[in-house]
Amino acid sequence: MFDTINYICSAKVIAVIRAKSANEGLRLCKAIHNGGIKTIEVTMTVPKAINTIETLQEEMLGQDVLIGAGTVCDSETAVACIKAGAKFIVSPCLVPDVIHACHRYNVLVMPGIGTATEAFMATQLGAQLLKVFPGDVLGPHFVKSLKGPFPHLKMIPTGGVTLENMDQWFKAGVVAVGIGSFLTRPAIEKGDFNVVTSIAKEVVAKAMSL
């Protein structure tokens, strides 16, 4: 688990995948990885998401990439994703059963938090990375404020993170960022996966400079 945490903190960027079909989801993952992003979160809103995770693990075996599952809101789904090969599990909210299930399998879990109470409860339950969601509503100041009473928190915002505001998040104290629609919109709206790869390259370059 600690290797997974170190990997994510080193990579600095998690690509959050939402897609209209399983095929689109797979193509997005590959386009993003071609752009240099090494950590990919396949959300459960992708059709056949668990099969997509399994396929990615098979096709990217031996490559420098970490595949996880997102929008996981119950323990049954968490276990199914882990058995499909997910190396980390992300929830949009704080679900104790999901945390407990992941700990049984010694798999990293990132619960979603939006208040100081949720952040405290998540760490009491053993969570070591916290997803700040929705990031576009809470903003970098939320992270900075939480760092006052809880300087040990390792937080990753998702929602509204872009090239333009990424530096504000890292200055506030996050260890990585989750980026979704900013990366994937060109492919979902226009079918342009090459642009997705180009944006991914820009995102990685910016993150590594911070």
Side-chain angles (χ1 to χ4, degrees):
M1 187 185 298
F2 285 102
D3 286 343
T4 305
I5 294 172
N6 291 335
Y7 189 98
I8 290 173
C9 292
S10 175
K12 289 190 173 184
V13 177
I14 299 175
V16 181
I17 305 300
R18 299 192 186 279
K20 294 174 290 188
S21 69
N23 181 61
E24 183 179 72
L26 281 170
R27 293 185 68 187
L28 276 170
C29 290
K30 292 174 182 178
I32 285 167
H33 184 247
N34 287 341
I37 293 180
K38 300 177 179 180
T39 308
I40 297 173
E41 173 190 329
V42 179
T43 68
M44 292 300 101
T45 58
V46 175
K48 299 181 180 179
I50 295 175
N51 289 339
T52 298
I53 291 170
E54 196 168 26
T55 299
L56 285 170
Q57 292 290 8
E58 292 172 356
E59 295 187 2
M60 294 186 168
L61 186 64
Q63 298 184 44
D64 189 12
V65 61
L66 191 72
I67 307 294
T71 320
V72 177
C73 297
D74 61 79
S75 60
E76 293 80 8
T77 302
V79 171
C81 290
I82 292 168
K83 289 183 177 180
K87 303 304 181 187
F88 62 92
I89 302 294
V90 185
S91 298
C93 48
L94 179 58
V95 188
D97 283 351
V98 171
I99 296 175
H100 296 320
C102 292
H103 287 170
R104 284 200 302 273
Y105 286 86
N106 197 33
V107 169
L108 175 68
V109 58
M110 287 182 263
I113 60 101
T115 67
T117 299
E118 289 176 347
F120 178 76
M121 288 177 63
T123 56
Q124 289 295 102
L125 290 167
Q128 298 176 67
L129 290 183
L130 306 180
K131 171 178 177 170
V132 174
F133 182 79
D136 51 349
V137 174
L138 296 167
H141 289 296
F142 174 77
V143 170
K144 187 175 181 181
S145 295
L146 275 188
K147 281 286 195 174
F150 305 121
H152 61 286
L153 292 184
K154 291 181 171 66
M155 292 176 275
I156 300 175
T158 300
V161 179
T162 67
L163 273 173
E164 287 69 31
N165 64 28
M166 193 189 304
D167 58 335
Q168 298 173 34
W169 285 107
F170 280 102
K171 285 178 183 177
V174 303
V175 297
V177 292
I179 303 185
S181 59
F182 180 78
L183 271 174
T184 60
R185 188 179 295 113
I188 292 173
E189 293 183 351
K190 301 178 181 178
D192 195 336
F193 292 87
N194 290 328
V195 172
V196 171
T197 297
S198 297
I199 295 173
K201 289 178 180 178
E202 291 183 72
V203 166
V204 170
K206 179 69 175 288
M208 291 302 140
S209 73
L210 298 173

